[in-house]
Amino acid sequence: MSTRPRISARISAISESATLAVDAKAKAMKAAGRPVIGFGAGEPDFPTPGYIVEAAVEAARNPKYHKYTPAGGLPELRQAIADKTARDSGYQVSADQVLVTNGGKQAVYEAFATLLDPGDEVLVVAPYWTTYPEAIKLAGGVQVDVVTDETTGYLASVEQLEAARTERTKVVLFVSPSNPTGAVYSPDDTAAIGRWAAEHGLWVVTDEIYEHLVYGGAEFTSIAHHVPADQVVILNGVAKTYAMTGWRVGWLIGPKDVVKAATNLQSHATSNVSNVAQVAALAAVSGDLSAVAEMREAFDRRRKTMVRMLNEIPGVVCPEPLGAFYAYPSVRELLGKELRGRRPANSAELAELILEEAEVAVVPGEAFGTPGYFRLSYALGDDDLVEGVSRIGKLLAEAR
Ligand SMILES: Cc1ncc(COP(=O)(O)O)c(C=O)c1O
């Protein structure tokens, strides 16, 4: 018998998506009849706007869209994405700088696969979204964490980034608004980080998928304005802005050589994104932003309720998130305390206990590189949100 491992070392090293795992467990408990409230999902609870769905229905009936189309995306969608980028962030690109991908996730993978050689270092601000480490690892890159906490609202400073920079640093990953923390960098801080990256010749990969979900006085600005155009890659998609997570359309914008190389990769891996979904995305990005304005209003209301309720729970500290749809409270004060006959030592164990005892699903900070925290999505109905956080509060009040 062969002694060679059945699964390659590269792929064995990839862990299951912790956010999807929590969601799956909560859904399975729900299907078994238990009244679980899930704060795990990273998706809007709204349906996709009707005019976008209608465009897709029409496309499905058009034989033109039943065939292969260019791997890099429908030309009209690439142009519309270039136009939308100029409209929303004032950043000018041409259609041949756009690659349409199967969701933002594929854009993340292709960006790192295209930029990194083995040993190249990527600066990643922790807490970070759980997909980045896997994409960096698979490309042979080395992730260097720049750890932040609630005391700075999870914002990294130029000094922290500079302290982590080495001769091998090639890329700095910039995510604002952030998943999982909801942190949003001010225009000044964004500019300062961009200028620092430019000064050191670093590439900037900027994930702008939550650009339209900012609250209070926060303002989204693209770091691309502060970095040379030949060293910046923008990742984005329709999932969060238009409640289109299931349609799987994202994109990567970059210098032409990067886009060409990433398109070559995609042409062998997946070819064109489903034409029906691309036409839906075309309707989305060429339409107005009224649907996201409505969602933003609902998210903002839920955000305030959630943060207030979380901070009322003894031992929970939650800075105000200013973007995306997540709260990221610290639960460190509760660890090691006795609760329902157990003594959870870390946030993963505490999350497990909350799921079993209060029937509420949260994602532990272990998934985002910072144990001791929870991520709670507020993209769920107001009543469920209040009920869910109340249940957590009642249970945690028993901790001794
Ligand atoms: C920060 C961030 N980037 C990218 C994505 C990718 O989204 P999708 O692949 O659904 O387009 C997500 C989804 O959760 C995200 O949170």
Side-chain angles (χ1 to χ4, degrees):
M1 227 168 71
S2 167
T3 54
R4 287 171 178 266
R6 288 164 54 78
I7 311 292
S8 73
R10 230 176 37 258
I11 300 302
S12 303
I14 297 177
S15 35
E16 181 185 16
S17 160
T19 47
L20 295 184
V22 168
D23 205 39
K25 183 159 183 192
K27 281 185 177 140
M29 284 174 69
K30 230 178 187 168
R34 294 180 63 181
V36 172
I37 293 179
F39 288 107
E43 60 184 346
D45 57 321
F46 298 94
T48 303
Y51 65 94
I52 297 174
V53 177
E54 286 313 314
V57 170
E58 243 176 72
R61 292 207 176 95
N62 186 344
K64 174 172 125 182
Y65 294 122
H66 300 173
K67 307 289 185 199
Y68 290 129
T69 52
L74 295 173
E76 58 274 32
L77 177 56
R78 295 173 81 190
Q79 183 59 54
I81 290 168
D83 295 344
K84 166 248 164 285
T85 305
R87 176 194 68 186
D88 296 346
S89 57
Y91 191 68
Q92 304 286 339
V93 292
S94 55
D96 57 0
Q97 287 180 263
V98 178
L99 165 61
V100 180
T101 59
N102 277 281
K105 263 186 189 168
Q106 192 180 22
V108 170
Y109 267 81
E110 290 176 353
F112 290 121
T114 304
L115 293 179
L116 300 179
D117 276 316
D120 285 343
E121 291 181 358
V122 183
L123 300 184
V124 178
V125 175
Y128 45 73
W129 179 44
T130 124
T131 287
Y132 301 129
E134 308 302 343
I136 293 167
K137 229 182 337 180
L138 201 58
V142 177
Q143 174 170 335
V144 176
D145 288 356
V146 176
V147 181
T148 63
D149 64 21
E150 66 277 20
T151 60
T152 64
Y154 307 107
L155 296 171
S157 64
V158 166
E159 291 69 31
Q160 272 180 296
L161 291 163
E162 176 59 19
R165 186 176 66 83
T166 74
E167 282 297 296
R168 292 175 301 282
T169 309
K170 180 167 183 187
V171 177
V172 56
L173 173 64
F174 187 75
V175 189
S176 174
S178 152
N179 172 8
T181 64
V184 180
Y185 287 82
S186 70
D188 282 352
D189 288 350
T190 302
I193 292 173
R195 282 195 303 266
W196 163 82
E199 187 187 323
H200 297 288
L202 303 181
W203 284 78
V204 174
V205 172
T206 168
D207 187 336
E208 304 188 345
I209 205 157
Y210 293 102
E211 64 183 327
H212 291 294
L213 295 174
V214 291
Y215 315 101
E219 191 186 332
F220 164 80
T221 52
S222 180
I223 194 171
H225 290 288
H226 308 286
V227 187
D230 64 351
Q231 284 198 249
V232 64
V233 173
I234 301 172
L235 311 175
N236 205 331
V238 292
K240 319 287 175 174
T241 303
Y242 305 98
M244 289 179 72
T245 46
W247 296 79
R248 310 311 304 138
V249 183
W251 55 86
L252 174 160
I253 294 174
K256 288 178 192 166
D257 56 346
V258 168
V259 169
K260 177 81 183 68
T263 306
N264 289 347
L265 168 61
Q266 180 162 306
S267 74
H268 292 291
T270 55
S271 300
N272 64 275
V273 174
S274 157
N275 293 322
V276 172
Q278 287 198 72
V279 173
L282 177 61
V285 298
S286 18
D288 65 23
L289 294 166
S290 52
V292 66
E294 265 174 52
M295 286 199 298
R296 187 168 52 231
E297 213 181 296
F299 290 151
D300 193 17
R301 184 180 66 240
R302 298 168 186 175
R303 175 184 77 101
K304 289 177 184 151
T305 307
M306 179 178 269
V307 173
R308 178 181 49 75
M309 290 181 71
L310 285 171
N311 279 318
E312 283 167 7
I313 303 173
V316 175
V317 180
C318 186
E320 185 186 1
L322 292 174
F325 38 65
Y326 309 101
Y328 201 73
S330 163
V331 292
R332 282 182 292 188
E333 282 178 40
L334 292 159
L335 301 178
K337 294 198 171 172
E338 197 274 335
L339 184 56
R340 300 261 168 118
R342 285 196 253 169
R343 212 173 270 282
N346 53 49
S347 43
E349 287 178 18
L350 186 58
E352 184 86 25
L353 195 147
I354 290 173
L355 183 56
E356 285 163 21
E357 298 288 328
E359 299 179 312
V360 175
V362 300
V363 188
E366 279 82 351
F368 311 105
T370 54
Y373 297 80
F374 286 161
R375 188 192 77 173
L376 288 86
S377 162
Y378 47 84
L380 78 172
D382 298 68
D383 293 346
D384 274 359
L385 186 151
V386 170
E387 168 67 18
V389 184
S390 304
R391 283 192 210 168
I392 297 175
K394 265 190 215 133
L395 176 66
L396 295 183
E398 296 175 23
R400 292 288 171 267

